[in-house]
């Protein structure tokens, strides 16, 4: 079914909790800090497609950057939102978790068990 990959920000408490849950399960996994190894637009788009999510569903709306970039504008396309998320990784909800042909936004962290 494929290796489990957690795309995370190590200082994020939800990411740390998801990593802990997976580690304790004994399931092999790879954790990728997407600040050090940034997403490409095509990879982030593919992850969203696997998860059945839109860009708008994973953008962090409480970030000051979200407000200053006026990303609440409903006329912005998913591609435009993805461009901003690639340029500003703080705008991406986390952690994103992928295993084989499935992916999800693991919020709350316990939902990661669906992929174990």
């Amino acid at each position: 079914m494929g290796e489990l990959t957690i795309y995370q920000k190590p200082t994020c408490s939800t990411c740390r909790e998801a990593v802990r849950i997976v580690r304790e399960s004994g399931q092999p996994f790879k954790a990728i800090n997407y600040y050090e190894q940034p997403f490409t637009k095509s990879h982030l788009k593919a992850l969203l497609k696997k998860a059945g999510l839109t860009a708008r569903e994973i953008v962090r709306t409480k970030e000051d950057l979200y407000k200053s970039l006026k990303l609440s504008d409903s006329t912005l396309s998913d591609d435009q939102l993805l461009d901003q998320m690639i340029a500003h990784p703080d705008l991406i909800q986390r952690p994103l978790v992928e295993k084989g042909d499935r992916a999800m936004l693991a919020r709350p962290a316990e939902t990661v068990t669906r992929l174990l």
Side-chain angles (χ1 to χ4, degrees):
M1 184 173 178
E3 181 179 39
L4 188 111
T5 303
I6 301 172
Y7 300 93
Q8 57 143 358
K9 179 180 182 182
T11 58
C12 166
S13 60
T14 305
C15 293
R16 287 194 311 263
E17 179 67 8
V19 166
R20 183 192 64 76
I21 291 167
V22 174
R23 185 174 287 127
E24 288 179 359
S25 78
Q27 174 96 208
F29 71 97
K30 179 171 38 172
I32 295 178
N33 178 341
Y34 62 81
Y35 287 79
E36 293 176 355
Q37 296 177 53
F39 286 112
T40 62
K41 186 175 179 179
S42 60
H43 183 210
L44 188 54
K45 203 177 218 180
L47 269 179
L48 291 180
K49 185 174 182 180
K50 282 184 183 185
L53 296 168
T54 65
R56 185 135 330 258
E57 290 172 313
I58 69 154
V59 70
R60 294 175 60 91
T61 59
K62 293 180 180 162
E63 293 291 323
D64 289 338
L65 195 55
Y66 175 85
K67 296 170 184 97
S68 68
L69 293 172
K70 300 180 178 20
L71 299 181
S72 62
D73 180 348
S74 62
T75 65
L76 292 173
S77 69
D78 265 17
D79 271 349
Q80 290 170 308
L81 287 172
L82 286 170
D83 288 338
Q84 291 301 323
M85 285 188 267
I86 296 303
H88 309 284
D90 279 339
L91 291 169
I92 302 171
Q93 290 276 9
R94 54 190 179 256
L96 290 167
V97 183
E98 176 181 34
K99 185 174 183 182
D101 62 354
R102 297 173 60 204
M104 67 183 303
L105 174 61
R107 293 188 73 81
E110 296 77 29
T111 59
V112 74
T113 59
R114 295 181 197 156
L115 293 180
L116 298 178

